[in-house]
Amino acid sequence: MTTQRLTRVPAPVVPGISDSVIDTATGLVYVSGVYVPVPEDFARSTELTFRALEEALVRAGTDLSHLVRVNVYVKHLDEEKLQTYRRVRDSIISAEHMPASTLVGVHSLYNHATIEIDAIAVL
């Protein structure tokens, strides 16, 4: 007999995609790539994407202070976008709760997004 370890977190998302999954054995929450396409304003898109990530974490029973890992994908990453990303991130996530992270420049993202974030948090 197997015990179910993964719990899907209900959310309004793209059909066929799990927005978030909780590993009940470890207490880890895995959040799929979150994005909010506002291609004309990278700072606003970054802020809204972090807020969407925060909403996903709250639905799972945790918050941004419990992030342990984020992977960030930025369309056409350059120095200006890097500085904008850091400024917005630092206004949302406190330095004392800064997760391990990777920032990757990419050619394109789904649905014309300019930034996408996937994450791991603890309950």
Side-chain angles (χ1 to χ4, degrees):
M1 179 173 168
T2 32
T3 304
Q4 181 67 21
R5 281 184 53 172
L6 301 178
T7 302
R8 309 250 181 269
V9 179
V13 296
V14 177
I17 305 265
S18 292
D19 172 72
S20 304
V21 176
I22 300 170
D23 182 337
T24 56
T26 63
L28 292 175
V29 178
Y30 298 88
V31 181
S32 297
V34 176
Y35 71 95
V36 178
V38 185
E40 66 282 353
D41 186 342
F42 183 70
R44 183 73 176 138
S45 187
T46 301
E47 177 188 359
L48 291 173
T49 299
F50 268 108
R51 295 302 175 203
L53 172 60
E54 183 175 38
E55 289 174 19
L57 293 172
V58 168
R59 281 193 307 273
T62 190
D63 59 41
L64 291 171
S65 70
H66 291 92
L67 283 171
V68 293
R69 177 85 178 142
V70 295
N71 295 310
V72 182
Y73 309 93
V74 175
K75 182 178 177 181
H76 304 305
L77 178 63
D78 59 16
E79 188 62 30
E80 182 180 348
K81 284 183 178 177
L82 175 62
Q83 295 308 317
T84 300
Y85 166 77
R86 287 178 173 164
R87 180 178 44 79
V88 173
R89 177 205 59 198
D90 293 350
S91 73
I92 296 171
I93 299 176
S94 69
E96 60 207 28
H97 297 291
M98 197 62 65
S101 64
T102 298
L103 179 71
V104 179
V106 297
H107 176 72
S108 65
L109 291 166
Y110 178 73
N111 203 21
H112 308 289
T114 54
I115 184 170
E116 184 172 326
I117 303 172
D118 66 57
I120 302 171
V122 294
L123 289 176

